[in-house]
Amino acid sequence: MSNRGRRGVVTVRRRVISVTSCVVLVGAGTSACFAEQSAMPTVRDFLVAWQVENYDAAAKHTVGAGQDQVARALAGLRNQLDAASMKLALGQPVPAGKEPGKAIVKNGEEAEARFAVKIDLGENGEPWTYTGVMKLKRIKGKWKVVWDPSIIHPRLKAGQRLAVVSQAPRRSPILDATGKSLLRTVPAQVIGVVPGELADPQKTIQEMVKSLRFNGTRTLDTQRLVGRIRSAPPEKFLPLLTVEGPSTNGIGQQLSQVPGLQTKPTTAPIDPAAAPEFVGKLGPATNDRLQQVGAPYQPGDTIGVSGLQLLLQRRLAGTPTVSVIAQDAVGRSVEELRSWPGLRSEPVRTTLRGDVQRRADYALADLPYPASMAVVNPATGAVQAVANHLTNGQNKALEGRYPPGLTFGVVGAEALLNSGMTRDAETDCPASVQVGGRTFTNPGPARGKGRFDTNFIMSCVTTLAALSSRLDASALTAAAGRFGLGKDWGMSVPAFTGTMPVPRNDAEKAAMMIGEGGVEVSPLAMALAAGGVANGTWRPAFMLTNPRDAQTGITGYPLAATAVLELKYLLRRSVFRGTAKDANVGPNPVSGMTATVTTNGKTVSWFVGFRAEFAFAIAVEGKFNAAALVKRFLAPNDQIPRSSG
């Protein structure tokens, strides 16, 4: 949204080239090119002095204008372009297979010299190259360069200067699955200057930067901002940055006191309207952020600073078209000398559904604890909502790392059912059980002997821990693999797919069977597990449809039909009359299971389940009946606020 800087600039460091290296550069290949050697020393010394920024020395080789005027004009080439470097060489570029022409052509007491100019407008950008021409005259036996502005550039006329103009494309939006923007328009301020009106650009920018601190420590690059001002058309307003909020806020009031700085109110779509941790935010390009996004963005540019806005910055923002122009001081007689076309911006389309996202936000909105929720389409793996509550900007719905507790029983039960276990098999639910020398204690009352399905839906820890002896380690890890845990899902956005260590002994295997012992998952991973049961095939998640997530790392896994039928029965029974009964809301039945697990002093409460069109997982960082949140998630439409969370 702010005016873009020179093409390809990331970190500009002024480069001073030694006289020795310049002599080699300018003198390279000259001995074979000159028909008239006597003019060569003057041309060479003029170019060398100009290149190493010794403008006074260069001006001494000229006639036709005051030496101070010449020195200022030569210095102007770098300043007016904010050039990172400039290289000059005798002669001109010669196409392959062509004979080089003469660098200097003499005609009596006059001569004409050609030289190659190569100007780096910024790191990683294509340099500007052209052939310069200068006329010389022999005066009292000495050759002098006849000064003319066209020495700077052949098309530069008296009274003109160079300037750099950047035209950035409008930033494209991030869209939901229906094509609706996931951004909202908010009040903002465009902060900038009119370069020709500044008495002291350095002082203005120093005071502006001093007034601005982003997150306490981030700052803007003063010297690069000054360079932008010097290279811009002097008569036009130059936007330097855009900040969110009205001009009456603290930042606006501070900046209004900076001499020469102008603020203009505007509105801009720079805030996420939903799923802010996923969509991301925009902000000024501070020094550290420029290191992340790279060329061609400039200090102060509005760039993505988190989420998709940062991850897909180049696609969403495009790149500016940069032009070098010649113009007079008031902007008349503008002539374009060279242009580098930018790239158009393109929107990003996600799989998020606005109605589902609002439901997920509403489900978590009143919790006193941090919580996250992921919702997927079980038939496709498309992520329909990612809600985060009190997570300090972290996208824990995708990236959280939590022990799953007994919700991991979905995986363990699938392994048991594939090994020949049946729902009516007799099991035991004692108060405690020893496996591999480790004691596992049931948090609820001991239930004694009973059917597997009964002990499962009542979340009996000791039942599942004891049943781990029916499985070898490979069977349990294979089941985790069928549910995609620890696999590469091929997503474009960061997501934690889970960790499933290989158990080294029976005690570790029993701990993993109940979702402990180093097993970690994200809410998204568990939502996909629930989706695998609902659909009969586990499918990897994806969140982008344009550009499409690659999903090259893994494909869907069909689950054994018999195991799927039994799991559906178990999860429905758990909600109907088991520990997850608070999730039993209508009119369409919900299936799932609940868990509360404490490791290293931290408690996580879960509900993992599905209904026909949804598979979802909720993780609450505290002791809470997570199953009760399903009622809010599936509340009637007229109870769901248009904007929640």
Side-chain angles (χ1 to χ4, degrees):
M1 293 189 291
S2 60
N3 191 292
R4 308 291 177 180
R6 262 60 58 218
R7 181 177 179 86
V9 177
V10 177
T11 302
V12 175
R13 296 184 177 88
R14 302 299 177 193
R15 290 182 278 277
V16 179
I17 304 173
S18 69
V19 174
T20 302
S21 65
C22 292
V23 170
V24 174
L25 170 66
V26 174
T30 58
S31 60
C33 297
F34 284 96
E36 174 56 65
Q37 291 290 322
S38 60
M40 186 268 285
T42 297
V43 175
R44 179 198 62 203
D45 293 346
F46 173 79
L47 293 177
V48 168
W50 185 11
Q51 178 172 272
V52 300
E53 302 180 67
N54 191 346
Y55 304 120
D56 290 336
K60 290 179 181 179
H61 295 285
T62 66
V63 294
Q67 291 187 4
D68 288 346
Q69 176 187 345
V70 173
R72 286 194 302 270
L74 293 174
L77 178 61
R78 280 181 183 261
N79 292 334
Q80 293 166 13
L81 297 179
D82 190 25
S85 69
M86 181 181 73
K87 295 181 180 180
L88 304 169
L90 289 166
Q92 59 185 339
V94 179
K98 298 288 186 179
E99 289 293 326
K102 293 181 178 180
I104 299 177
V105 176
K106 177 177 173 293
N107 184 12
E109 299 298 299
E110 297 180 348
E112 183 177 271
R114 296 183 179 273
F115 58 98
V117 182
K118 184 176 182 180
I119 301 173
D120 180 5
L121 296 179
E123 303 283 350
N124 303 322
E126 180 185 352
W128 184 27
T129 60
Y130 59 88
T131 298
V133 180
M134 70 178 80
K135 296 186 182 301
L136 297 98
K137 181 181 291 187
R138 185 151 51 187
I139 300 174
K140 295 181 180 180
K142 293 184 178 180
W143 287 99
K144 293 286 185 178
V145 175
V146 180
W147 177 251
D148 189 89
S150 63
I151 293 175
I152 303 293
H153 187 278
R155 288 155 62 188
L156 190 67
K157 302 177 181 64
Q160 289 186 323
R161 59 156 284 167
L162 299 176
V164 178
V165 177
S166 290
Q167 293 181 315
R170 181 183 295 273
R171 192 178 184 95
S172 289
I174 298 172
L175 308 172
D176 69 9
T178 66
K180 183 180 179 181
S181 177
L182 288 167
L183 306 175
R184 64 187 181 98
T185 299
V186 297
Q189 305 166 64
V190 178
I191 301 167
V193 297
V194 177
E197 297 178 0
L198 294 180
D200 188 343
Q202 183 85 20
K203 182 178 179 181
T204 296
I205 296 304
Q206 284 178 339
E207 291 192 27
M208 183 189 81
V209 171
K210 185 179 179 180
S211 299
L212 292 170
R213 285 291 186 273
F214 304 99
N215 290 346
T217 59
R218 293 189 169 110
T219 61
L220 300 171
D221 189 319
T222 300
Q223 292 308 312
R224 290 178 62 187
L225 285 170
V226 172
R228 291 181 65 182
I229 292 171
R230 289 175 175 162
S231 65
E235 80 291 353
K236 293 182 178 179
F237 178 76
L238 173 66
L240 295 175
L241 73 156
T242 299
V243 294
E244 185 178 341
S247 58
T248 55
N249 66 9
I251 292 178
Q253 291 176 344
Q254 287 180 353
L255 295 177
S256 66
Q257 305 302 314
V258 177
L261 209 60
Q262 299 182 22
T263 61
K264 296 185 176 183
T266 187
T267 57
I270 56 178
D271 253 16
E277 297 83 5
F278 169 65
V279 172
K281 293 187 176 182
L282 297 170
T286 53
N287 294 345
D288 57 329
R289 289 169 177 168
L290 283 172
Q291 298 297 326
Q292 290 180 279
V293 301
Y297 306 106
Q298 284 281 339
D301 284 354
T302 298
I303 60 171
V305 299
S306 63
L308 285 181
Q309 294 282 28
L310 172 59
L311 186 67
L312 298 176
Q313 160 66 20
R314 187 171 293 267
R315 177 187 176 92
L316 291 164
T319 59
T321 293
V322 180
S323 302
V324 177
I325 62 171
Q327 67 165 78
D328 60 18
V330 294
R332 292 193 298 264
S333 304
V334 175
E335 181 181 5
E336 183 180 285
L337 304 180
R338 176 67 195 275
S339 181
W340 294 264
L343 299 175
R344 66 185 178 92
S345 66
E346 295 184 72
V348 171
R349 192 155 183 164
T350 73
T351 60
L352 294 186
R353 279 179 45 184
D355 57 335
V356 181
Q357 183 66 45
R358 284 192 297 274
R359 288 180 173 278
D361 289 336
Y362 179 62
L364 308 182
D366 294 337
L367 283 171
Y369 307 108
S372 301
M373 182 176 186
V375 186
V376 302
N377 181 335
T380 64
V383 180
Q384 298 178 320
V386 285
N388 295 279
H389 174 69
L390 302 179
T391 60
N392 294 320
Q394 298 180 67
N395 193 0
K396 291 190 174 182
L398 301 186
E399 301 178 67
R401 296 170 176 251
Y402 303 112
L406 280 183
T407 61
F408 196 71
V410 172
V411 176
E414 194 264 0
L416 288 169
L417 293 167
N418 279 327
S419 73
M421 189 84 175
T422 60
R423 73 172 80 160
D424 58 0
E426 183 175 318
T427 58
D428 193 10
C429 180
S432 63
V433 67
Q434 275 206 346
V435 181
R438 177 176 169 179
T439 300
F440 296 87
T441 302
N442 198 43
R447 302 185 58 84
K449 302 289 184 179
R451 289 165 50 112
F452 172 63
D453 56 1
T454 301
N455 287 329
F456 182 88
I457 69 171
M458 297 309 295
S459 300
C460 186
V461 167
T462 53
T463 297
L464 285 175
L467 288 175
S468 66
S469 62
R470 294 177 59 115
L471 301 172
D472 59 26
S474 62
L476 188 56
T477 55
R482 288 192 290 274
F483 285 96
L485 297 177
K487 304 292 186 180
D488 177 7
W489 301 341
M491 293 181 68
S492 301
V493 299
F496 178 57
T497 68
T499 298
M500 176 67 186
V502 177
R504 295 171 296 180
N505 51 52
D506 289 344
E508 288 187 359
K509 186 173 57 173
M512 292 177 189
M513 190 76 165
I514 61 172
E516 300 178 21
V519 179
E520 287 186 319
V521 294
S522 62
L524 178 58
M526 292 311 295
L528 292 172
V533 177
N535 189 58
T537 297
W538 179 90
R539 298 186 185 279
F542 69 99
M543 294 198 72
L544 302 182
T545 58
N546 186 21
R548 176 67 188 241
D549 277 334
Q551 292 186 291
T552 55
I554 192 171
T555 58
Y557 286 101
L559 304 177
T562 301
V564 168
L565 287 174
E566 296 289 85
L567 283 170
K568 285 183 175 179
Y569 171 83
L570 292 172
L571 296 183
R572 177 60 194 139
R573 290 274 293 176
S574 179
V575 171
F576 183 63
R577 61 173 57 187
T579 54
K581 60 186 176 184
D582 286 326
N584 193 27
V585 296
N588 297 320
V590 174
S591 301
M593 61 190 305
T594 190
T596 299
V597 57
T598 300
T599 57
N600 299 322
K602 295 182 179 180
T603 298
V604 181
S605 301
W606 285 92
F607 179 82
V608 175
F610 59 87
R611 199 176 74 170
E613 71 275 39
F614 304 127
F616 51 94
I618 304 170
V620 181
E621 295 183 20
K623 192 171 184 179
F624 191 84
N625 180 12
L629 299 173
V630 176
K631 183 177 181 179
R632 288 176 64 91
F633 177 61
L634 298 177
N637 288 331
D638 59 1
Q639 294 183 20
I640 306 296
R642 295 298 299 174
S643 179
S644 301

